[in-house]
Amino acid sequence: MKKWLLSILILTLAVVLIACGSENEEDSSGGDDDSSSEASKWDEIQEEGELVVGTSGTLYPASFYPEDSDELTGYDVEIMKEVADRLELDLSFEEYAVDGLLSSIESGRVDMVINDMEITEERQKSFTFSEPYKHSYSTMVVREDDLSGIDSLEDIEGKVHGGGATTVYAQIAEHFGAEIKSYGNVTNDVYLRDVENGRTDLIINDYYLQSLALEALPELEVTIHPDLQFHPKESGIVMPEGEDELKEKVDEKLNEMREDGTLTEISEEFYGGQDASEKPDVDAEEIEGLDI
């Protein structure tokens, strides 16, 4: 009996020692994991020496390819180039459809996104935004002959809105009862022609983007609705959630660019002499009950 009890005690002691040893090893390795996980996105970017930025490449004049050119440019693109240059980093762009841009941050395929992305309360729950580099408001492209039968925002109900399904503009359209026709990563003329030919009835989007797109395609029989200006907005560079150090570095350069006139200069180049870096002098209607 004594031998049996002694064997049990020895086995119990061995199990305790093994468990303690494993726990200590986990503590030790866990410390290493914690220290490596503490490396911020900014640390990673500095180590790589490069910023990888997501954009669509099809959003004129924010992010696009000029005719007969393979060089990406636009208001957003040139701002990002200047930020990277001032941070002394190389820069590369990865192109995604609008509905895939935010998920490219979550998957780690890009470090940040710039694509006229509106700063909203809902998005700020999952992402970090820079200070605004653009201020604007929303307008609506409709058919030129009858304004697509729309006299007010309430008249959108039952109409077909063309655009990315995950955009704030689609949310506005749905808020007023429109059906959403979504697209892949297509250029502005595809959206506009669908309004002209009746496949869709309207496109809600940014005033500056829409006015420049229509100027570039004057042959299309579509127009910006003359009586509807709504939903004032701000656009920022999107970064992973909680990356405060990266935001601080980006904001510092954006503020420098605002103070030395670089943001104004870039905006006037791409927005027909208009300064989108400052709040427009327009009384745009706030939309009540819009949860974005």
Side-chain angles (χ1 to χ4, degrees):
M1 177 65 74
K2 288 182 180 179
K3 287 183 179 180
W4 180 77
L5 286 173
L6 181 60
S7 298
I8 292 295
L9 287 171
I10 290 172
L11 285 172
T12 302
L13 181 60
V15 169
V16 170
L17 289 174
I18 290 170
C20 290
S22 299
E23 185 176 329
N24 288 336
E25 287 174 11
E26 286 176 7
D27 288 344
S28 174
S29 62
D32 292 341
D33 288 345
D34 289 343
S35 64
S36 63
S37 66
E38 287 174 4
S40 68
K41 174 61 73 173
W42 173 242
D43 292 333
E44 295 175 12
I45 291 168
Q46 279 190 301
E47 185 176 345
E48 294 293 329
E50 181 184 40
L51 270 176
V52 180
V53 178
T55 192
S56 67
T58 58
L59 187 64
Y60 179 84
S63 170
F64 70 101
Y65 290 92
E67 190 174 355
D68 301 323
S69 174
D70 59 359
E71 183 175 350
L72 187 66
T73 189
Y75 179 58
D76 291 33
V77 170
E78 297 306 320
I79 284 174
M80 199 69 252
K81 288 179 181 178
E82 184 69 19
V83 169
D85 185 60
R86 295 187 185 211
L87 289 172
E88 300 182 345
L89 294 168
D90 292 334
L91 174 66
S92 65
F93 287 100
E94 296 288 338
E95 294 171 27
Y96 297 93
V98 172
D99 290 341
L101 284 170
L102 293 180
S103 63
S104 72
I105 297 176
E106 292 174 317
S107 67
R109 297 193 300 273
V110 301
D111 300 315
M112 57 184 70
V113 158
I114 189 166
N115 202 69
D116 198 41
M117 195 69 69
E118 183 175 348
I119 303 169
T120 69
E121 289 184 10
E122 192 64 31
R123 286 173 176 167
Q124 286 176 309
K125 293 176 183 178
S126 304
F127 302 94
T128 296
F129 279 81
S130 72
E131 291 294 311
Y133 64 84
K134 182 186 172 194
H135 301 266
S136 187
Y137 56 95
S138 298
T139 51
M140 183 189 308
V141 166
V142 290
R143 283 184 288 280
E144 199 168 52
D145 58 351
D146 64 349
L147 303 183
S148 297
I150 297 169
D151 295 318
S152 68
L153 289 173
E154 287 70 24
D155 291 336
I156 294 174
E157 185 174 2
K159 303 289 187 181
V160 181
H161 173 273
T166 64
T167 65
V168 170
Y169 307 114
Q171 289 178 266
I172 293 173
E174 287 181 314
H175 178 75
F176 287 101
E179 176 189 340
I180 307 300
K181 173 178 170 53
S182 60
Y183 296 74
N185 203 24
V186 299
T187 52
N188 287 333
D189 64 298
V190 176
Y191 293 100
L192 296 174
R193 290 184 196 283
D194 275 2
V195 174
E196 182 186 45
N197 64 33
R199 292 187 66 193
T200 59
D201 299 300
L202 68 144
I203 304 168
I204 296 173
N205 211 306
D206 172 79
Y207 161 72
Y208 292 111
L209 297 183
Q210 292 196 323
S211 61
L212 269 291
L214 292 186
E215 185 178 314
L217 297 161
E219 73 278 7
L220 298 182
E221 295 181 2
V222 296
T223 186
I224 291 177
H225 199 294
D227 303 320
L228 300 178
Q229 298 86 35
F230 50 96
H231 188 61
K233 51 164 281 190
E234 297 176 329
S235 299
I237 301 170
V238 196
M239 294 163 270
E241 182 183 11
E243 294 295 343
D244 296 332
E245 187 177 10
L246 179 57
K247 170 181 166 59
E248 181 182 340
K249 299 296 182 182
V250 171
D251 283 348
E252 178 185 346
K253 300 311 174 186
L254 287 175
N255 288 329
E256 284 179 10
M257 293 162 64
R258 188 180 307 282
E259 291 170 7
D260 66 22
T262 302
L263 284 182
T264 297
E265 182 181 339
I266 297 173
S267 176
E268 289 177 345
E269 177 185 354
F270 289 98
Y271 290 119
Q274 301 179 90
D275 188 1
S277 71
E278 299 293 338
K279 291 184 179 180
D281 186 20
V282 173
D283 187 20
E285 177 187 349
E286 294 274 5
I287 298 174
E288 297 294 332
L290 185 64
D291 186 18
I292 59 173

